[in-house]
Amino acid sequence: MALFQLRRTAPLPLDEAWRRLTTWPRHGAVVPMTRVRVTTPPPTGEGTVFVARTGLGPLAFDDPMEVTVWRPPADGLPGFCRLEKRGRFVTGWAEIEVRPGPGGRTHVVWREDIRVRFLPPFGDAALSRAGRLVFGRAVNQLLRRA
C-alpha cells in the first residue's frame, strides 16, 4: 500500500476548483503518457466509471476507476469525491476534497492509496514518493488551467 496526501490552496472559487479537479478527461492532459475516457453517460455522479490508460503502445495498462462517493460543493459547504481503482494491475482508492478558504480561495486535499500488483511491499515507499510527485504536479496543473 502506497499512501500519500497532497494539500494545495488555490485562488479559485470552490465550484471552479471542483470542476477543474473532477472533469476526468482533463487528467489525461496533465498526467504523463495518459489518456482518460469516461465510459458511462454524463453527468458525473456515484457510479461514473472512467479509464486512465497509461503507457506507450503495447507497454500500456488500463486503470479503471469508479466514483463511489460524489458530493459536489454547495452553498459554501465542502465537496468530496472518492474513487475506487478497479484494475487488474493498479488498485486502491483516491479522495478529492475541496473546502472554502480565506478570501475566496479553496483548500484542496488529495489522498491516494495505490497498490500495484506484483510490487513487493518494500517498493511502497518509492511508489508513494513517485505518486506524490506525479499527482502533485498534475493537481497543480489542473488547478492552474481553466
Side-chain angles (χ1 to χ4, degrees):
M1 162 175 78
L3 183 63
F4 64 90
Q5 178 173 281
L6 307 166
R7 293 182 175 273
R8 301 291 188 268
T9 300
L12 299 168
L14 204 55
D15 58 342
E16 179 61 13
W18 177 261
R19 183 194 68 78
R20 291 182 186 194
L21 293 169
T22 63
T23 302
W24 310 120
R26 290 171 47 88
H27 290 236
V30 298
V31 177
M33 298 182 295
T34 300
R35 290 174 306 177
V36 177
R37 65 183 167 79
V38 179
T39 62
T40 52
T44 293
E46 288 182 17
T48 294
V49 175
F50 59 96
V51 179
R53 181 153 183 87
T54 302
L56 296 171
L59 300 176
F61 65 93
D62 288 337
D63 182 9
M65 291 170 251
E66 181 179 352
V67 177
T68 58
V69 178
W70 181 257
R71 291 192 310 256
D75 301 322
L77 296 174
F80 180 81
C81 174
R82 182 176 172 99
L83 310 169
E84 296 287 336
K85 295 173 168 285
R86 307 231 190 255
R88 290 187 297 167
F89 185 64
V90 177
T91 61
W93 52 264
E95 295 176 340
I96 302 167
E97 183 177 355
V98 296
R99 297 185 157 279
R105 294 173 174 253
T106 297
H107 291 298
V108 174
V109 179
W110 180 297
R111 294 176 204 87
E112 191 148 350
D113 176 10
I114 301 174
R115 296 178 188 124
V116 176
R117 190 175 186 159
F118 308 119
L119 182 69
F122 66 80
D124 287 348
L127 182 59
S128 181
R129 281 191 302 277
R132 194 175 300 111
L133 175 69
V134 169
F135 287 100
R137 294 172 102 180
V139 167
N140 290 347
Q141 291 179 14
L142 287 168
L143 291 170
R144 283 187 196 124
R145 295 181 183 184

